[in-house]
Amino acid sequence: MADIIQLLPDHVANQIAAGEVVQRPASVVKELLENAIDADATIIKLIIKDAGKTLVQVIDNGKGMSVTDARLSFERHATSKIRSADDLFHLHTKGFRGEALASIAAIAHVELKTKQEHDDVGNAIVIEGSNVVSQEVVVTPKGTSISVKNLFFNIPARRNFLKSNAVELRHVIDEFHRVALAHPNISFAFYNNGSETFNLAISNYRQRIVNIFGNKTNEKLVPVEEETEVLDISGFVGKPEFAKKTRGEQYFFVNDRFIKSPYLNHAIASAFDGLLKTGNHPSYFLNLKVNPQTIDINIHPTKTEIKFDDEHTLYALLRSAVKHSLGQFNIAPVLDFERDANLDTPYHFSNKETNSPVIEVDRSFNPFKENYSSGKQTTAFKKQTLNNWDSLYVGLESKGTKTEHGFSEVHFESEETTLSAFNDTNKIEQTKTTYQLHNKYIVSTIKSGMLVIDQHRAHQRILYEDFLNNLTIKQGVSQQLLFPLQLHFSTQEIEIINQLKEDLEHTGFVFSNLTEESVEIIGVPVMVPESEVSIILEQLIGDVENEVPDSHFSATDLLAKSMAKSLAIKRGHSLQKDEQEHLVNKLFACKEPNVSPTNRTTFITMSVDELDKKFI
């Protein structure tokens, strides 16, 4: 039989590897930024056009590459970071596979310019789909500049899978945040379509967090510090009152590498147990230093998953360190039976000098004197007996005579009489047609049997169609606030609100001021309580960030869904009889009462025949 196994050509193997390493423009950003960090750069610039679909460029001032290294860097499994398999357990660099540049060059147009410090001129290489088009000498500053253009130009199917520019840009910004947070000792700049989005100077870790997420973040942070033989923990957690419905600001870094770990995330959540509202998630920015020999990074091409030798110990240390910080800074309540709160000194009294109390005694004071004068006050101790008390009523005439004020002319009805159009005997008691079951479901009778409605989903459908109607006809009713409401968000969140501002105004929101870090609102939709505004906007931002829309993505539809989900009555909420009936009537007045906005069943029916079968 003929041989059927054959070696794949290099360009095909590179494209297969690219499917694992490069999933979207954000993957390219991650690989190029990490290469710049491994090159010991202190200044890194990221330039993006059309969310990375047209251009991703990274410029650094690192050590650069020689002519031979520049050419070899695009070969598969060519790397300067490891020499043997044992080096995988002593990693101090970001990359080690040697696949990133080869994979990127297989699916894009790549232009590389690099120069080492002691060289007079640099080297430029142009590669298109794994084919080297040119390699020549150029004048360029020290370091490396690499441009990736027209991503997936030779794989149209992969390019079609990319989402809208807004969604892809958010993924790029997420990757930029992860790298910039892990390295506050490096200066980063980010340019999107010619405009500067971030310019992060070298700073400490706290200042880097504030520079990325806004000045308001500073007051939210609680320091966490713990050093053990197994693990060193440093960083910050957010105060419980600033917890959000979304998981946006949650960052774990192990040896300066961003990772995702649901197990360690649970350790943080358990440390906040009892301090957060249901459904809220704490924010954290934690650096973990462990022995490289106790972790395995080589389990996934994106290197965001890590295997630990002893996860249980890390879990316990992380949980106790966070709980200790929350207690140390009086964020979490602690039981201290020896502490007297009355002895706590306010902060503004700490620098004040204490004065001895002065007591003044009036030695001539005699409480048995009839009159006692002290300064301007006069106290009378003489007892007076009121003999003619009946003189208080002089001037009041007896009943029936006309007084000065004419009270005798005022007439009062002996009792209130109310006329009714119907006699009480003919009054018919209204039959109760709806019942609430476990504060979750509304049970109603219909001609054929019984109707059971999920109150949360039903209300979502009602609100969704109302909001969609307001957004379409652009006639949302607004309620003006007595005092403006100021909310603080990060730069990325403000950008999302800016994109949705027009649609939000159609639902009834009125914005008076929109800055880079805060939003001022002077009007809200009629059905929205003021206390819920921040929750609604946070939920909306989270939905926009986590939504994976197709090419027919509608911001209007997403906005209506998100607001309906935030404002719908929750399961466990008790409803009065008229509220139950109103909900039922409004549901069946909807265009699609059968399903919620997320295509879940809103009600079920059970006929009398089905009930009869239950009793057979």
Side-chain angles (χ1 to χ4, degrees):
M1 194 169 80
D3 299 333
I4 59 173
I5 296 178
Q6 58 183 351
L7 289 173
L8 288 173
D10 284 345
H11 69 279
V12 176
N14 284 341
Q15 287 193 1
I16 293 171
E20 295 179 352
V21 179
V22 184
Q23 298 161 358
R24 55 187 354 135
S27 307
V28 177
V29 170
K30 174 183 179 292
E31 299 293 346
L32 297 186
L33 288 178
E34 289 182 348
N35 281 346
I37 291 166
D38 286 339
D40 299 329
T42 57
I43 300 173
I44 299 175
K45 294 180 181 178
L46 172 62
I47 300 169
I48 296 292
K49 284 188 180 176
D50 296 333
K53 297 175 183 176
T54 303
L55 172 68
V56 175
Q57 183 177 9
V58 173
I59 305 169
D60 68 67
N61 66 342
K63 54 191 177 185
M65 290 182 282
S66 66
V67 176
T68 307
D69 286 347
R71 180 67 187 82
L72 268 177
S73 65
F74 290 98
E75 297 296 329
R76 287 193 73 203
H77 307 305
T79 179
S80 62
K81 293 154 190 182
I82 62 173
R83 291 284 182 265
S84 66
D86 291 339
D87 292 341
L88 288 172
F89 297 97
H90 301 84
L91 286 172
H92 297 284
T93 57
K94 300 291 183 185
F96 52 85
R97 292 174 177 275
E99 283 187 323
L101 287 181
S103 301
I104 293 168
I107 53 172
H109 297 163
V110 179
E111 183 179 344
L112 171 72
K113 292 180 182 179
T114 184
K115 183 175 90 72
Q116 293 179 319
E117 189 173 9
H118 58 267
D119 291 340
D120 295 328
V121 291
N123 192 43
I125 298 177
V126 177
I127 299 179
E128 295 179 1
S130 296
N131 298 318
V132 179
V133 177
S134 67
Q135 182 171 358
E136 57 189 8
V137 174
V138 293
V139 176
T140 184
K142 176 211 166 189
T144 303
S145 169
I146 183 165
S147 303
V148 178
K149 303 174 184 176
N150 306 322
L151 195 64
F152 300 126
F153 79 98
N154 53 355
I155 313 178
R158 291 292 297 275
R159 193 175 180 88
N160 291 336
F161 283 134
L162 295 179
K163 308 303 177 186
S164 65
N165 283 359
V167 174
E168 293 298 340
L169 180 61
R170 280 194 292 278
H171 285 288
V172 169
I173 291 174
D174 282 344
E175 290 294 348
F176 178 80
H177 283 174
R178 292 168 182 176
V179 176
L181 283 170
H183 299 277
N185 58 332
I186 299 176
S187 173
F188 288 91
F190 181 18
Y191 299 90
N192 176 37
N193 292 334
S195 62
E196 184 180 270
T197 305
F198 292 99
N199 193 345
L200 309 173
I202 296 173
S203 62
N204 59 33
Y205 192 44
R206 187 179 196 122
Q207 192 59 48
R208 176 56 58 90
I209 295 171
V210 171
N211 289 340
I212 290 177
F213 295 101
N215 293 328
K216 197 71 178 174
T217 313
N218 193 33
E219 68 183 70
K220 304 177 184 178
L221 302 178
V222 178
V224 179
E225 291 286 342
E226 193 68 48
E227 291 186 10
T228 65
E229 295 179 359
V230 181
L231 172 70
D232 290 349
I233 304 170
S234 63
F236 301 90
V237 294
K239 294 179 181 177
E241 60 263 33
F242 297 106
K244 296 185 176 181
K245 294 280 187 185
T246 58
R247 298 179 181 268
E249 297 174 2
Q250 294 185 339
Y251 295 90
F252 272 126
F253 300 98
V254 174
N255 296 350
D256 294 332
R257 183 191 300 277
F258 173 80
I259 67 155
K260 296 176 182 177
S261 175
Y263 186 67
L264 295 183
N265 179 71
H266 188 272
I268 305 292
S270 63
F272 277 88
D273 192 24
L275 299 175
L276 299 177
K277 295 179 182 177
T278 306
N280 284 10
H281 304 284
S283 57
Y284 52 80
F285 310 88
L286 295 174
N287 294 305
L288 312 180
K289 297 289 183 186
V290 299
N291 187 341
Q293 295 183 0
T294 63
I295 58 175
D296 184 7
I297 303 169
N298 191 26
I299 61 173
H300 195 275
T302 59
K303 300 186 282 288
T304 56
E305 297 177 18
I306 288 182
K307 269 190 178 177
F308 297 94
D309 274 0
D310 190 358
E311 280 190 328
H312 298 293
T313 303
L314 298 185
Y315 182 100
L317 288 172
L318 192 59
R319 181 176 179 272
S320 62
V322 174
K323 281 187 79 72
H324 179 259
S325 289
L326 293 174
Q328 183 182 7
F329 292 93
N330 290 330
I331 305 300
V334 292
L335 286 175
D336 186 355
F337 296 104
E338 296 179 358
R339 175 176 168 270
D340 186 354
N342 296 322
L343 299 179
D344 291 346
T345 306
Y347 286 115
H348 59 279
F349 281 8
S350 58
N351 297 323
K352 286 189 175 182
E353 296 182 359
T354 56
N355 298 320
S356 300
V358 179
I359 301 174
E360 294 181 359
V361 179
D362 187 355
R363 299 185 182 280
S364 62
F365 174 72
N366 186 353
F368 300 103
K369 286 184 179 180
E370 290 188 356
N371 287 307
Y372 171 75
S373 298
S374 175
K376 296 181 180 179
Q377 288 188 339
T378 302
T379 308
F381 292 98
K382 186 178 179 181
K383 187 177 180 181
Q384 294 182 355
T385 305
L386 190 62
N387 296 321
N388 51 349
W389 56 268
D390 53 343
S391 64
L392 293 172
Y393 299 95
V394 173
L396 295 177
E397 304 295 335
S398 60
K399 187 178 179 182
T401 60
K402 185 175 181 180
T403 64
E404 182 183 353
H405 301 287
F407 288 134
S408 60
E409 297 178 359
V410 181
H411 300 283
F412 297 96
E413 293 183 359
S414 57
E415 61 180 43
E416 187 177 354
T417 57
T418 306
L419 296 177
S420 175
F422 305 96
N423 293 329
D424 290 341
T425 54
N426 296 331
K427 193 171 183 180
I428 302 172
E429 185 180 353
Q430 188 176 4
T431 308
K432 184 173 183 179
T433 58
T434 60
Y435 303 87
Q436 193 175 22
L437 184 64
H438 293 299
N439 290 343
K440 289 183 182 180
Y441 305 104
I442 297 173
V443 182
S444 181
T445 55
I446 53 177
K447 188 175 181 181
S448 60
M450 184 173 66
L451 185 73
V452 183
I453 299 171
D454 185 316
Q455 66 184 37
H456 178 62
R457 293 180 186 175
H459 199 212
Q460 271 193 57
R461 165 54 63 179
I462 295 165
L463 293 176
Y464 170 70
E465 293 201 3
D466 284 345
F467 283 129
L468 208 57
N469 186 48
N470 290 341
L471 287 166
T472 307
I473 63 175
K474 302 180 180 180
Q475 290 182 359
V477 181
S478 179
Q479 171 184 327
Q480 298 300 302
L481 299 175
L482 188 60
F483 300 104
L485 185 64
Q486 192 165 31
L487 305 172
H488 296 272
F489 295 99
S490 66
T491 310
Q492 186 181 354
E493 292 170 337
I494 290 290
E495 179 123 6
I496 294 172
I497 292 175
N498 227 343
Q499 294 170 2
L500 300 173
K501 182 184 174 187
E502 188 177 347
D503 287 329
L504 284 168
E505 287 174 340
H506 294 157
T507 64
F509 282 98
V510 181
F511 297 91
S512 60
N513 193 18
L514 200 63
T515 66
E516 292 183 356
E517 292 185 356
S518 65
V519 176
E520 192 174 80
I521 299 172
I522 58 173
V524 295
V526 172
M527 64 184 74
V528 177
E530 185 179 343
S531 58
E532 295 282 324
V533 173
S534 61
I535 298 172
I536 290 169
L537 291 180
E538 282 177 13
Q539 179 75 51
L540 176 61
I541 291 166
D543 288 343
V544 172
E545 286 179 336
N546 299 323
E547 185 74 17
V548 186
D550 53 18
S551 56
H552 305 293
F553 168 57
S554 167
T556 303
D557 185 67
L558 177 61
L559 177 60
K561 281 182 183 176
S562 181
M563 290 184 64
K565 183 167 65 176
S566 299
L567 292 172
I569 53 173
K570 304 296 185 285
R571 295 183 180 93
H573 183 80
S574 178
L575 297 176
Q576 299 296 327
K577 178 178 174 294
D578 53 346
E579 292 174 327
Q580 297 169 24
E581 292 178 350
H582 179 71
L583 189 72
V584 174
N585 294 334
K586 287 282 286 182
L587 175 64
F588 289 102
C590 292
K591 293 180 180 177
E592 293 184 23
N594 299 327
V595 292
S596 69
T598 52
N599 289 323
R600 300 207 173 173
T601 306
T602 55
F603 68 87
I604 59 168
T605 56
M606 188 172 284
S607 66
V608 176
D609 292 339
E610 289 179 81
L611 286 171
D612 289 340
K613 290 177 184 177
K614 301 288 183 184
F615 293 95
I616 291 176

